[in-house]
Structure formats: structure tokens, C-alpha cells
Amino acid sequence: MGVKVCKFGGSSLADAAQIQKAKEIIQSDPDRRYIVASAPGKRSSEDQKITDLFYLCHAHAKQGIAFDEVFKLIADRYQGIVADLGLDLDLTAHLEKTQQDIAAGASEDYAASRGEFLNGPIIAASLGYEFIDPAEVIFFDGSGRFDAEKTQEVLSERLSKIERAVVPGFFGSLPDGQIKTFSRGGSDITGAIVARAAGADVYENWTDVSGLLRTDPRIVDQPQTIDTLTYRELRELAYMGASVMHDEAIFPVRAAGIPINIRNTNAPEHPGTLIVAQTDAQVSAGCITGIAGRKDFTVLAIEKTLMNTEMGFGRRILEVLEVNGVSFEHMPSGIDTMSIVIADSELEGKVNKVVEEIKMAVKPDNVSVYPNMALIATVGQGMAHSLGVSAKLFGSLSEAGVNIRMIDQGSSEMNIIVGVEASDFEKAVQAIYAAFVGA
Ligand code: ASP
């Protein structure tokens, strides 16, 4: 028998009807043996996530404000789900203890984790699977960092003895037994950790979209779904804003070579997106995988004749950034020019100081500041060693009348980044998409 680890997100478990869909998906394949469950999410756009309600309870308790009404919303949600599913499960004692603990000053992480902790038994009961408390199998070290080694050891041992189990996502425990959560959306990370510990054939991440789209659907109408991409391509796209799951969820499964399959609970027949270590370079040659981008960057363009002959020029500039606590994104350079691309959030209130200090440090002929820049990453393994890709990319932008301010090609050759005026951002993404994928 194979092993599939399935993580279901909040929208996939938002109410009894959604849980029923998840149950049918799980039961349709006997390999779906380990289930990682989020807390119930939003049922509609105006609805509240259970996790947010728990954060609210904690914030109230911390200020000494009564939170019974908010807690009642939480309790009613769970009781309603149990009743609608017709389960023989009484969560009253658990709910009462949770409310008391929060009122008695339990930590924010403890409060937030209860969304998953209380949902776990519901999912386990509806499937007839065993429940595993993550506090017993997922560990953080004394400084709050995830302890991959200890977790792998304890969790894999535990799973080897249990054929089918539900593990709530999002949290684990510190060495002193206190609850610690991952950052928001962290059930994706738990799913990857469980997949690694189970030695899974695949990590299925069930959500409410049918995979990763080639670009942002708010910019391009109905973009294609990416059927397969590599972990690295996903990293590049995610860094530039494409999001489908938590960034850190890749690491545990990538280390173990376990593919991730993003699937849609509301359209289970769709194969979704598969994320793997390697794709067939031959098949994807000359093609792109996706386009992602972000606004709110500033470019500092530094010019100095014969800068290339001046030893330590780049170091002195980077030292200015370091001293000012500014991290940069890209630094393409020419013979007499060097551009530094920096996110606006890094430069807030510091632009003039940084420019003045650069002037003092390297005595340039000129430093220009270009605010309101956007970066667009065109990503694809198939671009590497493939002739004509850049010509097509730059040709499409020039035809669309987009002025390119900066070009940077990662050393892997699978990512070409262009900097354009923020006002040209959408037009540029549309032009690149049309050139490579079609209108
Ligand atoms: N429930 C948590 C959150 O809302 C974790 C998760 O759903 O992944 O962030």
C-alpha cells in the first residue's frame, strides 16, 4: 500500500458540507492515510476564520475584556459542525477548558492553535481515523525554531505504528511543553513535515483552487493552470508574489524528494499542479512556466566612469546599505553603471541618507533615484539554454510600448527579471503572457 499525506485547508473544512467533500476524497483512495487538518476557515467572504476568532479572544483576555460572545461564536461553529455531520462526539469539555485557559492568561500561540486542535477530533471521528496531538510529535527548540531532526525521529516512529491518522496542522511544542505555532498558514508546513516523516509518495495539498496559475488572474483573464513545475521554479514565483501555499512548506518535502500536488476540494477531478524536483527539459524547451511580479521598488542608479577598474567599489556601496540596515533585491551592473533594486519598505525614510553616504563612499559621477518601479519575473526551466527566449520577452515588451529600466537574469538561467515603471506593470505582464502562452 502506498502513502499519501493530504492536507486540507480551512476553506476545505469550513463546514459540514465541505468536510463531507474532504471525506469522500479521502475515502476514494486507500493510500490517503495521513490527514493534516486546518481550523475551519471562511464559509463566505464575509465570514470569520476560527483562527482569527481565537486571536481575538486572546487579545480581549489580555486586556481584561470579557470574550464570552466571541467564544460563543467559536463554540457554536464546532457544535454545529458536529451536529450536521451526525457525529457521536462531545466537545463540550474541550471547549470549556480552552475558554478557561485563555481567560487564565494562556499564550497567544496556545489560543491560536486551538482552532486546529479542536477540529482534529471532528475530522478523525468522521473518518474513523486515529487522532495525533501535534504537541507530542512536532517540536521547536528553546529559541522557537522548528526542530526538524527531533520531529522526524519521533513522528516517523509514531506514524510507523498507526495505519491511518489525523494530525492537526499549524503547531507543535517547545522543550518546556508550551504550545508554539508556525506563522500564519502554517498547516501547509505541518503537512510537509508529516509527508516527510511518513515517507509519503506524494504530499497532496487540498485547497480551493485547482493549482497554481501561470500568472495573476487579476491581470490576465483566466490564465492557464501550471500542470507541473519544479520546487525551484515555485520558489522563484512565490518570492515574486505568486502564492498557493506557505513558502516554507517546500523544504521538508524537497529534502526528501516528495512531490507536492496542489488540488481543489471543490473540483477533485482536476489533476491540479504537481511540484517536483525535475521536469523534462526537452518538453518544456523554450517555454515559460509562469510570470509573477511585485510593485513598490526603488532603483538607485550609480554612474562612474571606469568604475570597473576601481577595486572595492561594489563593497563600499553594499557597506552603506548594510550600515543602514537596508537589504537589496538585485544589483545588475554595467561597465560604468551599477543599479541597486531595493523594496520601498526597506528604504522608508532612509533614501536621502543612503544616497548621501553612497556619494561619500564612492564619489560617483551621478546617483539617480527611480521610485515607483515594479519587478516582473518570467520563470521557466525551459528557458535555460534555449535560444530566442530573451528576444521574445524583450520584443513583446517593446511592442507593448513598455520601457525596461533594468534586466537581471539569475545565474540559473531560469528566471529573467525586468524592472519597469509601476504604471506599466499590468501591461507588461499581459504582453509577456501573450507572447509565450497566447492571448
Ligand atoms: N489556521 C491557521 C491560519 O489561519 C493555519 C492554517 O490554516 O494553515 O493561519
Side-chain angles (χ1 to χ4, degrees):
M1 189 170 23
V3 181
K4 288 180 179 165
V5 168
C6 307
K7 179 258 169 177
F8 285 87
S11 60
S12 299
L13 306 173
D15 57 20
Q18 287 300 95
I19 294 176
Q20 194 55 39
K21 285 186 198 168
K23 184 176 166 183
E24 276 160 30
I25 290 166
I26 296 163
Q27 291 182 335
S28 69
D29 184 343
D31 289 351
R32 294 189 171 127
R33 290 167 43 195
Y34 301 116
I35 310 304
V36 172
S38 274
K42 293 184 181 191
R43 292 160 291 187
S44 64
S45 52
E46 303 83 53
D47 198 16
Q48 306 264 20
K49 279 176 144 198
I50 288 282
T51 310
D52 291 330
L53 294 177
F54 270 116
Y55 277 116
L56 202 58
C57 288
H58 177 265
H60 277 61
K62 207 171 150 198
Q63 303 290 325
I65 304 168
F67 60 90
D68 313 284
E69 274 179 37
V70 185
F71 198 85
K72 188 166 181 312
L73 292 176
I74 296 174
D76 287 352
R77 262 305 276 277
Y78 284 115
Q79 306 282 28
I81 291 174
V82 171
D84 290 346
L85 288 171
L87 296 176
D88 181 18
L89 178 72
D90 190 359
L91 286 180
T92 317
H94 272 320
L95 285 163
E96 277 173 10
K97 179 174 180 334
T98 306
Q99 188 170 6
Q100 282 159 11
D101 288 345
I102 296 173
S107 71
E108 186 181 49
D109 280 14
Y110 172 87
S113 73
R114 297 303 89 179
E116 270 75 9
F117 181 76
L118 289 160
N119 208 27
I122 298 178
I123 310 303
S126 68
L127 292 167
Y129 281 22
E130 200 166 310
F131 170 82
I132 297 180
D133 182 351
E136 296 168 9
V137 289
I138 292 189
F139 303 105
F140 293 83
D141 66 19
S143 52
R145 266 190 305 262
F146 170 60
D147 187 339
E149 224 168 283
K150 183 171 171 201
T151 300
Q152 171 69 9
E153 194 184 311
V154 175
L155 182 57
S156 57
E157 161 79 14
R158 181 80 168 265
L159 294 179
S160 69
K161 298 194 187 107
I162 305 175
E163 203 177 294
R164 292 171 192 281
V166 171
V167 187
F170 192 36
F171 71 98
S173 60
L174 290 161
D176 64 0
Q178 296 273 339
I179 297 296
K180 166 96 184 117
T181 62
F182 291 106
S183 53
R184 293 301 304 266
S187 297
D188 286 335
I189 306 174
T190 308
I193 292 166
V194 173
R196 176 174 174 221
D201 303 307
V202 60
Y203 167 30
E204 291 183 344
N205 190 299
W206 290 85
T207 174
D208 53 7
V209 289
S210 297
L212 190 64
L213 298 172
R214 280 202 203 282
T215 194
D216 188 336
R218 289 167 300 187
I219 300 177
V220 169
D221 191 30
Q222 301 194 348
Q224 286 179 358
T225 303
I226 302 172
D227 51 7
T228 309
L229 79 166
T230 63
Y231 302 120
R232 281 183 65 184
E233 287 172 313
L234 180 68
R235 283 283 296 154
E236 305 269 359
L237 288 168
Y239 188 71
M240 289 300 279
S243 84
V244 68
M245 62 173 191
H246 198 296
D247 279 0
E248 291 162 41
I250 296 178
F251 302 115
V253 280
R254 185 169 74 174
I258 299 167
I260 307 171
N261 191 190
I262 310 283
R263 300 285 295 265
N264 189 349
T265 304
N266 303 317
E269 64 293 338
H270 195 293
T273 295
L274 195 64
I275 305 157
V276 295
Q278 287 290 336
T279 49
D280 189 338
Q282 217 102 57
V283 175
S284 62
C287 302
I288 63 157
T289 301
I291 309 157
R294 292 202 327 236
K295 290 182 182 173
D296 302 322
F297 288 97
T298 294
V299 174
L300 303 183
I302 302 153
E303 278 173 52
K304 184 170 188 183
T305 309
L306 296 178
M307 91 167 40
N308 58 326
T309 61
E310 210 177 299
M311 212 56 109
F313 188 89
R315 181 184 50 73
R316 286 199 289 279
I317 290 177
L318 294 184
E319 209 166 75
V320 171
L321 297 183
E322 188 180 352
V323 168
N324 282 281
V326 172
S327 88
F328 71 98
E329 300 285 324
H330 301 280
M331 196 174 64
S333 63
I335 304 170
D336 296 330
T337 61
M338 181 178 280
S339 297
I340 309 177
V341 185
I342 304 170
D344 288 348
S345 53
E346 289 287 318
L347 271 180
E348 233 164 60
K350 297 180 184 166
V351 183
N352 292 340
K353 185 165 181 274
V354 166
V355 169
E356 282 317 308
E357 289 179 22
I358 288 177
K359 283 182 180 165
M360 281 192 305
V362 295
K363 314 238 169 340
D365 300 336
N366 187 35
V367 180
S368 310
V369 178
Y370 297 101
N372 302 321
M373 297 285 298
L375 293 184
I376 300 170
T378 304
V379 174
Q381 198 109 298
M383 286 163 36
H385 317 296
S386 193
L387 288 176
V389 168
S390 8
K392 197 163 161 180
L393 175 62
F394 302 134
S396 73
L397 291 175
S398 101
E399 248 167 65
V402 174
N403 187 16
I404 304 173
R405 269 278 157 70
M406 182 217 82
I407 299 168
D408 196 6
Q409 178 165 27
S411 50
S412 61
E413 273 193 55
M414 53 169 263
N415 189 0
I416 299 178
I417 294 170
V418 292
V420 301
E421 300 272 349
S423 55
D424 279 339
F425 177 64
E426 281 81 9
K427 193 162 67 170
V429 171
Q430 285 156 0
I432 300 171
Y433 186 89
F436 283 95
V437 187

